[in-house]
C-alpha cells in the first residue's frame, strides 16, 4: 500500500443529526475531512437506536438526491468495493474507512441502518475533500542573499494538522513546516519537493534558481607534469557562476613583482615554451553579478633533461645517468633520487641494486634555479623480505587468514603455501597473497611459510607456527586414593584438561553445587569425613570456553556407628509369642558380622551376618538384657543401649511346702507356704482343703498359718497362685497330726452336725421354693447365676492365710460360712454334708451325710467349677474339747 490511514483527531465539529423517531441518533466526528490523495481515511461514526429495534444490516453510501430513497452500499460498488472497510458493528460503532483515495472520492458520505421496523439514515453525513501536494517557490529566481519562501500547498486544510517533510534533490532537509522562509545561497540552487510525514507521497519537484557571482575560480596546467624547454603548455581558467562567466582575464607577475594583464579568454597556451616563460600566473572570471580571482600558479620551465639507461635494469646490471642542459653549456651536475642528493654516485654509472630504484633528477651546480625533469629507474629483482602475518587470534572454529607479502620487481607472479614442508595451496601473484582456513581445527596447527616467484627468481618466507587455541576438552577428575577411602584419611581430587591457552581456572562441584572458593586444579581433604562423601566433578575454564569432567563418586568408608537395638512387638511380650530383635547400624561398607549379647554374655548361636534375630516361641528363660555388636573391616561398635525382654507368663511350678516338715504334733504351730513362678508376680494366693467329701476354701495369702494345730486341721491342702494372666493349682499336700480324739466329742460333733443339717435344709427348701415362684433369685436378678451353698465346719474356714486357727480347747467349735461356688447351670443341686474332721481310721467317729436332690436328679457339682450345677452344701465338723 502506498499510504497509511489518516487518523482524525479533531473535536466534533457539528451537532449530531437526530432522526425523526425518538431514541435514534447518528454522530459523525468530524463532519468534514480533508485528506491526501493516495492516503486512507477513517470516517468516525457512532449511532444509537431504541432497544426494541433489532439491527439487521448497516452500510455507507454516497449522497445523491436522485437516489436518496434507493442508496447503494459502497462495499458493493465496483469503484469502492476493493478500497472500503466497515470497521463498526451492529451495536453503536459505525466507523468507515476508504483506502487509496482518489480525486473522484471528493463527495458526501452517509451512514444507513436497517432494522426490523424500518430504515434510517444519519444526517448531514461526512463531506470528504481530496487534495494533492504542490510546491510553491516565491520568487522562483533570486540573487544570492535574497529571501525566498517554499510552501507545500494543498487545496484544503488537511485534517489532523500533519507534519511536512522537505526534500532537496531527493535528500531530506531539517525543517518540517508547511512553509519555509530563508536567505538563498548558491548551494540552494536545487529542485525541491514536499510530503506529509508518515506517507510516501511526494509532490512534484520545483526548481529554485539562485544567481551568484563567480566563485571557486582555479587554474589548471596541461601537461600536468614537468615542463621542459621547447614543449607546449596550456593554462585553463574555470569558475562556478550563475549566470555563466562572461569574461576571463589572465595576469602574470612581471619583473617589478607586480601582475600585469596579458590575455582574455578561458585558456592561455604557450607554444615551445622557453625558460623565460616561467613565472606566476592567475586568472579572473566575471559575470553580471560580480568577479572572482583564482589562486596563483607557479609555472616552472626546466632547462635540464635527465636520461637513464636502461630505465629498467636487473640487480647487478650497470646503469648510466645523463644530464643535459638545454639553456646553457654548463657541464657539471648533481644527481638526486627521490629528492635526496646522491653523494655516493661519483660518476654517472653505477651497479643497479633493488634500493637504487626511484625517481632521478639533476641540477646544475652553478645555478640552483635550473631544474631537470624526473625519470624513473626500475630495478628488477627476485622476491625478498617475504613475511607471513596472521589476521587475528587463532581460535578453534574461527576463520584464519595468513598473508604473505613480498618486495619484488616485477611483482610476484605466483605464491605457493606450505604446511610442515608440504604444499597446500598455489595462487597467482600480486603484491600479497592470502591463505584462508575456515573453521580451523587442531589438525590445522603447524608451521606455515610461503614461497614467492616472479620472472627473476623465487624466495620463501621464514616459517610461522600456527597455534590453534581451543576451549578445555577431555576434562577428567582423578582421586589420589584409587582404593578404599576411609574416614579420617587424606584424599586429593585432581582435575586435568587439554586446553590452549592452558586452563586458567578450575571450579569444583559437589552434588551439582559449587565448592567455593576453591579454584585450583586439586582439591584436598586433609581428614575426610562422612559429610564429604558425594558426587564430584570439576569445570575447567580458559579465555575460550569451559568444559566439565564426568562426575565421580567419592565413597567414604567408616566403621559402624549409631548402632542400636529395637524389639518387635514393642509392647508386652507374652510367653509363647514370636519376638524379633533388630540390630541397626550405619556403616560403610555395610556391617559384615553381628554378635548378640544377653546379660553381657555372647550368644554364639546368634553370631553371623543377620541383623535380625527371631525367637519364635519365647519362654521365660529368654528374659534378659540384649545388645548387639556390629563389625565391618574398619572396626566394631556396640549398640548404645541394651533392650530388656521381659517375658510375661501365668503362674507355673506352683507347690506347697510345710514347716516344720513331717507329722505335726497337736497343739504345735504349723505353716503352709505356696510357691509359684509367675510374671507379672502372683497377685492372689488361695488355699483349699479337701477330703473324700469335697473341697473348700481354707484361706488366702501366700502362707496359711496354724499357731495351735489340732487334729481337725489335718487333711490335704493345696494352693492356687493367680496373676492377671491366669492361675495354677499346686499338688495337694497331706497334713497329719499325732494324738486321738474322745468319742463324746465326736458324738457331740455328730449331733451338732445333724442340727445344722436340718437347719440348712429348711433354708435351702425355702429358697428353692422362692426361686420356683419368682422364676429367679435376687442373685439372678443381678445377673449372677452362682449357686448358694452353706458350709458348717469345725475348722476356722473363714480365716485368711495370715490369720491363726488358735482356739480354747474347752470350746467346741461350730462355724458356719456361706460362700459362692462356681457358675452354675439352670439346674440346681441342694445337698449337705456332715462329716467328722477325724479320719476314717479313727475309732468312735460318727458322721452322717444327707443329700437333697431335685426331681431332675441333677448330678452333684464338683468343687472349683468342675461342673455347672448349682450346689448348696454344708459341712459340720466336730472339734474336741
Amino acid at each position: 500500500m502506498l499510504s497509511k490511514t489518516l487518523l482524525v483527531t479533531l473535536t466534533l465539529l457539528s451537532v449530531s443529526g437526530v432522526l425523526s423517531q425518538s431514541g435514534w441518533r447518528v454522530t459523525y466526528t468530524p463532519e468534514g475531512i480533508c485528506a491526501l490523495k493516495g492516503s486512507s481515511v477513517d470516517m468516525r461514526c457512532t449511532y444509537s437506536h431504541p432497544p426494541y429495534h433489532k439491527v439487521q444490516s448497516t452500510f455507507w453510501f454516497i449522497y445523491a438526491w436522485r437516489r436518496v430513497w434507493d442508496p447503494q452500499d459502497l462495499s458493493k460498488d465496483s469503484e469502492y468495493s476493493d478500497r472500503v472497510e466497515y470497521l463498526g458493528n451492529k451495536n453503536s460503532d459505525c466507523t468507515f474507512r476508504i483506502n487509496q483515495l482518489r480525486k473522484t472520492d471528493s463527495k458526501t458520505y452517509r451512514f444507513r441502518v436497517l432494522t426490523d421496523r424500518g430504515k434510517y439514515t444519519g444526517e448531514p453525513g461526512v463531506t470528504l475533500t481530496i487534495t494533492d501536494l504542490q510546491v510553491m517557490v516565491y520568487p522562483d529566481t533570486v540573487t544570492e542573499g535574497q529571501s525566498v519562501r517554499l510552501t507545500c500547498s494543498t487545496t484544503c486544510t488537511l485534517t489532523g494538522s500533519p507534519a511536512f517533510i522537505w526534500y532537496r534533490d531527493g535528500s531530506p532537509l531539517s525543517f518540517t513546516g508547511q512553509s519555509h522562509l530563508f536567505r538563498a545561497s548558491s548551494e540552494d540552487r536545487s529542485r525541491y519537493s514536499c510530503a506529509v510525514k508518515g506517507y510516501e507521497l511526494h509532490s512534484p519537484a520545483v526548481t529554485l534558481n539562485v544567481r551568484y557571482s563567480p566563485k571557486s575560480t582555479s587554474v589548471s596546467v596541461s601537461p600536468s607534469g614537468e615542463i621542459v624547454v621547447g614543449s607546449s603548455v596550456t593554462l585553463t581558467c574555470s569558475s562556478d557562476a550563475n549566470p555563466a562567466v562572461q569574461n576571463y582575464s589572465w595576469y602574470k607577475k612581471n619583473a617589478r613583482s607586480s601582475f600585469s594583464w596579458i590575455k582574455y579568454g578561458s585558456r592561455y597556451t604557450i607554444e615551445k615554451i622557453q625558460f623565460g616563460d616561467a613565472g606566476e600566473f592567475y586568472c579572473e572570471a566575471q559575470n553580471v553579478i560580480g568577479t572572482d580571482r583564482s589562486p596563483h600558479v607557479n609555472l616552472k620551465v626546466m632547462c635540464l633533461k635527465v636520461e637513464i639507461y636502461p630505465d629498467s635494469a636487473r640487480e647487478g646490471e650497470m646503469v648510466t645517468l645523463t644530464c643535459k642542459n638545454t639553456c646553457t653549456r654548463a657541464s657539471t651536475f648533481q644527481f638526486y633520487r627521490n629528492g635526496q642528493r646522491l653523494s655516493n654516485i661519483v660518476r654517472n654509472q653505477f651497479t643497479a641494486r633493488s634500493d637504487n630504484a626511484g625517481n632521478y633528477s639533476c641540477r646544475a651546480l652553478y645555478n640552483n634555479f635550473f631544474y631537470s625533469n624526473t625519470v624513473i629507474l626500475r630495478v628488477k629483482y627476485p622476491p625478498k623480505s617475504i613475511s607471513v602475518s596472521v589476521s587475528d587470534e587463532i581460535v578453534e572454529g574461527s576463520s584464519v587468514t595468513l598473508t604473505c607479502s613480498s618486495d619484488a620487481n616485477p611483482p610476484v607472479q605466483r605464491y605457493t603455501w606450505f604446511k610442515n614442508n608440504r604444499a597446500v595451496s598455489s595462487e597467482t601473484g600480486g603484491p600479497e597473497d592470502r591463505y584462508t582456513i575456515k573453521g580451523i581445527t587442531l589438525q590445522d596447527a603447524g608451521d606455515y611459510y610461503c614461497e614467492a616467484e616472479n620472472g627473476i627468481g623465487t624466495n620463501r618466507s621464514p616459517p610461522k607456527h600456527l597455534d590453534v587455541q581451543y576451549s578445555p576438552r577431555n576434562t577428567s577428575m582423578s582421586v589420589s586414593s584409587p582404593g578404599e577411602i576411609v574416614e579420617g584419611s587424606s584424599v586429593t581430587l585432581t582435575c586435568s584438561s587439554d586446553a590452549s591457552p592452558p586452563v586458567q581456572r578450575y571450579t569444583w562441584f559437589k552434588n551439582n553445587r559449587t565448592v567455593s572458593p576453591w579454584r585450583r586444579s586439586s582439591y584436598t581433604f586433609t581428614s575426610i569425613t562422612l559429610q564429604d562423601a558425594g558426587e564430584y566433578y570439576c569445570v575447567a575454564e580458559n579465555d575460550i570456553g569451559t568444559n566439565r569432567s564426568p562426575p565421580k563418586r567419592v565413597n567414604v568408608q567408616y566403621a559402624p556407628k549409631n548402632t542400636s537395638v529395637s524389639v518387635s512387638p514393642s509392647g508386652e511380650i507374652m510367653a509363647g509369642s514370636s519376638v524379633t530383635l533388630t540390630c541397626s547400624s550405619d556403616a560403610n561398607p555395610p556391617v559384615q558380622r553381628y554378635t548378640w549379647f544377653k546379660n553381657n554374655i555372647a550368644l554364639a548361636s546368634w553370631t553371623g551376618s543377620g541383623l535380625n534375630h527371631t525367637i519364635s516361641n519365647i519362654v521365660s528363660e529368654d528374659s534378659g538384657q540384649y545388645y548387639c555388636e556390629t563389625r565391618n573391616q574398619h572396626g566394631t561398635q556396640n549398640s548404645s543401649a541394651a533392650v530388656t525382654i521381659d517375658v510375661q507368663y501365668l503362674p507355673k511350678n506352683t507347690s506347697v511346702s510345710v514347716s516344720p516338715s513331717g507329722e505335726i504334733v497337736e497343739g504345735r504351730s504349723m505353716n503352709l507356704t505356696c510357691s509359684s513362678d509367675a510374671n507379672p508376680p502372683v497377685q492372689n494366693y488361695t488355699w483349699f482343703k479337701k477330703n473324700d467329701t469335697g473341697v473348700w476354701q481354707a484361706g488366702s495369702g501366700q502362707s496359711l498359718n496354724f499357731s495351735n494345730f489340732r487334729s481337725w486341721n489335718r487333711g490335704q491342702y493345696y494352693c492356687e497362685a493367680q496373676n492377671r494372666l491366669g492361675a495354677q493349682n499346686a499338688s495337694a499336700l497331706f497334713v497329719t497330726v499325732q494324738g486321738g480324739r474322745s468319742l463324746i466329742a465326736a458324738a457331740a460333733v455328730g449331733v451338732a452336725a445333724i442340727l445344722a443339717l436340718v437347719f440348712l435344709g429348711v433354708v435351702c427348701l425355702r429358697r428353692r421354693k422362692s426361686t420356683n415362684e419368682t422364676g429367679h433369685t435376687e442373685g439372678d436378678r443381678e445377673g449372677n447365676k452362682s449357686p448358694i451353698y452353706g458350709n458348717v465346719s469345725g475348722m476356722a474356714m473363714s480365716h485368711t492365710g495370715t490369720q491363726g486357727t488358735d482356739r480354747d480347747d474347752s470350746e467346741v467349735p461350730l462355724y458356719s460360712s456361706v460362700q459362692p461356688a462356681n457358675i452354675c447351670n439352670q439346674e440346681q443341686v441342694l445337698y449337705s454334708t456332715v462329716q467328722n474332721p477325724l479320719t476314717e481310721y479313727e475309732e468312735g467317729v460318727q458322721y452322717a451325710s444327707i443329700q437333697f436332690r431335685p426331681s431332675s436328679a441333677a448330678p452333684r457339682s464338683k468343687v472349683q467349677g468342675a461342673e455347672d450345677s448349682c450346689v448348696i452344701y454344708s459341712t459340720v465338723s466336730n472339734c474336741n474339747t
Side-chain angles (χ1 to χ4, degrees), residues 75-342:
S75 64
K76 299 178 180 178
D77 190 326
S78 59
E79 292 293 324
Y80 289 89
S81 58
D82 58 343
R83 297 188 297 125
V84 298
E85 298 178 67
Y86 181 67
L87 305 179
N89 51 43
K90 291 185 178 181
N91 185 19
S92 60
D93 190 358
C94 50
T95 301
F96 187 64
R97 176 178 293 171
I98 304 178
N99 299 312
Q100 300 176 5
L101 290 171
R102 305 169 182 171
K103 276 281 192 177
T104 56
D105 293 335
S106 296
K107 295 181 176 64
T108 299
Y109 298 83
R110 289 181 173 84
F111 171 70
R112 186 169 176 83
V113 56
L114 282 66
T115 71
D116 57 349
R117 302 193 179 191
K119 304 176 182 179
Y120 305 92
T121 299
E123 293 290 350
V126 178
T127 299
L128 179 62
T129 303
I130 308 302
T131 184
D132 53 10
L133 302 177
Q134 183 176 1
V135 174
M136 306 293 293
V137 181
Y138 182 79
D140 59 354
T141 300
V142 295
T143 300
E144 190 173 34
Q146 290 182 337
S147 296
V148 64
R149 180 181 294 277
L150 297 176
T151 302
C152 191
S153 176
T154 58
T155 57
C156 60
T157 302
L158 290 174
T159 303
S161 301
F164 290 83
I165 302 175
W166 286 90
Y167 299 88
R168 183 171 64 196
D169 295 333
S171 298
L173 297 173
S174 59
F175 53 88
T176 59
Q178 187 174 4
S179 179
H180 180 59
L181 179 66
F182 60 97
R183 289 187 180 276
S185 67
S186 59
E187 291 80 9
D188 296 325
R189 182 186 176 195
S190 302
R191 292 175 61 80
Y192 291 86
S193 62
C194 65
V196 173
K197 189 174 183 178
Y199 298 89
E200 300 176 357
L201 304 171
H202 291 215
S203 69
V206 175
T207 301
L208 171 63
N209 185 24
V210 180
R211 302 194 311 164
Y212 50 90
S213 62
K215 58 180 63 180
S216 304
T217 306
S218 63
V219 175
S220 61
V221 180
S222 178
S224 59
E226 298 163 337
I227 302 172
V228 181
V229 172
S231 62
S232 177
V233 177
T234 299
L235 304 178
T236 302
C237 185
S238 60
S239 183
D240 178 22
N242 187 28
V245 174
Q246 297 168 327
N247 296 310
Y248 291 95
S249 299
W250 289 95
Y251 296 85
K252 179 184 179 185
K253 199 172 187 179
N254 55 32
R256 297 188 301 274
S257 298
S258 60
F259 286 90
S260 301
W261 176 85
I262 57 173
K263 181 177 172 46
Y264 286 115
S266 62
R267 292 187 178 184
Y268 175 46
T269 301
I270 305 173
E271 300 290 345
K272 296 183 179 181
I273 194 169
Q274 299 299 313
F275 184 77
D277 294 327
E280 292 186 46
F281 295 81
Y282 74 84
C283 70
E284 187 178 80
Q286 180 183 16
N287 67 1
V288 295
I289 308 299
T291 61
D292 186 49
R293 179 181 294 180
S294 73
H296 300 167
V297 174
N298 188 11
L299 190 64
K300 294 180 180 181
V301 179
M302 300 175 185
C303 291
L304 304 179
K305 183 177 182 180
V306 67
E307 294 179 348
I308 190 168
Y309 181 83
D311 59 355
S312 179
R314 289 193 177 193
E315 268 189 326
E317 187 177 355
M318 188 65 66
V319 176
T320 301
L321 282 174
T322 303
C323 188
K324 295 180 181 180
N325 192 336
T326 60
C327 298
T328 66
R329 295 182 178 180
S331 58
T332 305
F333 307 96
Q334 178 65 52
F335 290 96
Y336 291 80
R337 185 179 69 235
N338 299 330
Q340 299 295 322
R341 182 175 177 177
L342 298 175

Side-chain angles (χ1 to χ4, degrees), residues 479-555:
V479 183
S480 62
S481 177
E484 298 174 349
I485 300 175
V486 182
E487 188 175 24
S489 62
S490 176
V491 177
T492 298
L493 307 180
T494 302
C495 187
S496 60
S497 183
D498 176 20
S500 178
V503 174
Q504 297 157 334
R505 182 194 315 213
Y506 294 90
T507 304
W508 288 91
F509 291 83
K510 173 190 174 185
N511 299 333
N512 292 321
R513 298 186 66 179
T514 305
V515 179
S516 181
W518 211 266
R519 291 295 181 265
R520 296 195 293 271
S521 61
S522 61
Y523 184 56
T524 300
F525 306 92
T526 54
S527 179
I528 198 165
T529 66
L530 178 59
Q531 288 70 30
D532 296 322
E535 194 172 68
Y536 288 81
Y537 66 86
C538 62
V539 174
E541 178 181 358
N542 65 3
D543 290 336
I544 311 303
T546 62
N547 185 244
R548 61 177 285 180
S549 70
K552 183 167 289 189
R553 185 79 182 175
V554 174
N555 183 26

Side-chain angles (χ1 to χ4, degrees), residues 620-633:
S620 60
E621 288 76 8
D622 294 322
S623 296
Q625 288 191 326
Y626 290 81
Y627 69 88
C628 65
E629 177 189 82
T630 55
R631 177 189 299 272
N632 68 2
Q633 64 196 58

